[in-house]
Amino acid sequence: MKLLFKQRLFSWFDSYDIYDESGNTIFTVKGQLSWGHCLKIFDAYGNKIGTVQERVFSFLPRFEIYIVNEKIGCITKEFSFLKPKFQIDYNGWQVEGDFFGWDYRVYDRNRRCVAEVSKQLFNWTDTYMIDIPNPENALEALMLVLAIDAEKCSNNN
């Protein structure tokens, strides 16, 4: 399954549309006013299915991940010099990426690829292609990409 993650050009808060390979909207992400990033994920029917919430009073960037209203884990940026590193405490996943963190892979504990993420550079807004071998991992993989993108936005501002 391939997802196209595209930030909306004119929005006050972080807002994204996520499309499948046929161009159908699979998920909509709406940012809301809060301390730190708070991103709500909705399915194609407008039902809230997840949240990515930044914890602002932590030493390193930390994002809590919720499916519906149940916390499933956190994503924390680790201290590193050259390559961005993230600790994921759900599903046993690990992230490995390039220097800028624009292209990276997510692996499960058995070193199988869960998602491959690549940023398309020549667009007006942040645009990522997410290749997910198992469609059951789509929501969790999307929330991981959202947290990493939000961390980059915070770091650049």
Side-chain angles (χ1 to χ4, degrees):
M1 168 181 220
K2 291 184 190 255
L3 297 177
L4 181 65
F5 169 112
K6 206 168 176 153
Q7 186 176 24
R8 291 184 185 162
L9 184 58
F10 299 107
S11 66
W12 289 102
F13 303 106
D14 294 330
S15 295
Y16 306 90
D17 292 312
I18 290 68
Y19 305 97
D20 66 8
E21 297 169 85
S22 302
N24 302 312
T25 302
I26 301 295
F27 302 110
T28 301
V29 179
K30 297 177 183 176
Q32 68 180 53
L33 184 62
S34 70
W35 288 91
H37 292 270
C38 182
L39 305 169
K40 306 280 184 180
I41 299 106
F42 300 88
D43 65 14
Y45 304 103
N47 301 310
K48 182 182 146 202
I49 56 173
T51 303
V52 176
Q53 175 72 51
E54 183 177 11
R55 289 291 146 219
V56 292
F57 299 112
S58 62
F59 179 65
L60 294 170
R62 178 183 176 96
F63 296 86
E64 293 181 346
I65 306 300
Y66 298 85
I67 292 184
V68 186
N69 293 320
E70 182 182 340
K71 182 178 172 183
I72 64 164
C74 294
I75 299 167
T76 307
K77 183 167 185 193
E78 295 179 339
F79 183 76
S80 62
F81 287 105
L82 295 177
K83 288 186 176 185
K85 288 188 165 203
F86 295 89
Q87 177 185 355
I88 306 166
D89 76 351
Y90 66 91
N91 297 343
W93 291 359
Q94 297 176 322
V95 177
E96 295 179 9
D98 68 2
F99 179 78
F100 295 107
W102 288 340
D103 299 306
Y104 51 93
R105 287 185 177 194
V106 181
Y107 296 98
D108 67 12
R109 61 179 57 97
N110 296 320
R111 297 291 300 158
R112 288 183 299 238
C113 185
V114 174
E116 188 170 352
V117 182
S118 60
K119 184 171 185 175
Q120 298 178 346
L121 295 177
F122 301 105
N123 289 293
W124 289 99
T125 61
D126 286 344
T127 303
Y128 294 91
M129 180 62 72
I130 310 169
D131 190 0
I132 306 163
N134 183 353
E136 292 178 8
N137 293 325
L139 179 59
E140 285 105 342
L142 171 63
M143 291 192 288
L144 174 67
V145 174
L146 287 166
I148 291 173
D149 185 67
E151 187 280 326
K152 286 181 197 324
C153 291
S154 295
N155 196 22
N156 290 336
N157 290 337

